[in-house]
Amino acid sequence: MKAVIFAAIGVFAILTNVCGAQGFRARDLRGIRLDMTPGEVEQLTHARLSPLGRGDFKLEFNHTEFDLGFSPLGHLYRIDSDQPLGSFAPDLTFAATLTSKLTEKFGPPKSNMLPGGPIDWDLQAMVTDNNGTNPRELESLSAMLEGGYGAPIHLVMKMMDFRLLWRDQAIVNATPRNKAAEAAKF
């Protein structure tokens, strides 16, 4: 399958051509899905989003704190979550169980350093912009355990799909870019 996505970062046009690329098996953290609108998130969670500024919002849902990033057109492209797990010492047995659960939901990770480091996934493709054609990260997901030394352990996760952001930036940029092109006189 061939998907072509036109987008813009700042003033640079990007053409992303992803041939047969597969992202994560699941595109949600605790039911909050990438590409949702703020209203859809509030409807799902039965909670109000608290604005942090610049398209970022905070939310607590199912005993998990979320920091959510929305595109200029209000589509969720970044989900950060912080879930308390309790007071215990993460060991290799816990890491194996967590790895198994994450792999079942998201697919095989790119790398895994649990329990002391991150486990992560990403999707990269060749992207053409004003700097040429280069590999770029399209999607990323990471999970890590934080805490210790008597402090509670937290599962901290970050999921992003940059294509959603680029798509909406391109849509927002189209009209002013076209007006500027028409206004340029020589």
Side-chain angles (χ1 to χ4, degrees), residues 52-179:
L52 298 172
R54 305 198 70 166
D56 291 341
F57 291 84
K58 186 170 92 170
L59 170 74
E60 186 167 328
F61 172 60
N62 283 341
H63 308 290
T64 302
E65 291 182 16
F66 290 91
D67 182 337
L68 306 173
F70 289 90
S71 72
L73 293 178
H75 295 103
L76 186 59
Y77 77 94
R78 179 184 52 77
I79 307 169
D80 292 347
S81 69
D82 185 334
Q83 178 186 3
L85 300 177
S87 295
F88 67 101
D91 57 16
L92 292 177
T93 300
F94 179 80
T97 300
L98 183 58
T99 298
S100 176
K101 291 174 81 171
L102 290 167
T103 300
E104 183 178 327
K105 180 167 183 173
F106 299 109
K110 177 182 174 185
S111 68
N112 183 358
M113 294 186 284
L114 290 173
I119 181 171
D120 60 18
W121 298 253
D122 71 1
L123 172 64
Q124 295 190 6
M126 298 304 289
V127 175
T128 302
D129 61 15
N130 290 344
N131 296 318
T133 301
N134 298 292
R136 297 276 306 264
E137 188 172 66
L138 304 179
E139 293 182 1
S140 69
L141 170 64
S142 64
M144 185 168 188
L145 299 170
E146 292 186 357
Y149 301 109
I153 301 298
H154 290 248
L155 175 60
V156 177
M157 298 182 70
K158 179 187 268 312
M159 177 183 275
M160 299 179 73
D161 186 339
F162 296 102
R163 295 169 298 185
L164 299 172
L165 177 63
W166 298 340
R167 174 196 69 198
D168 288 0
Q169 286 174 331
I171 292 168
V172 167
N173 188 52
T175 298
R177 179 199 60 224
N178 293 343
K179 284 182 181 180

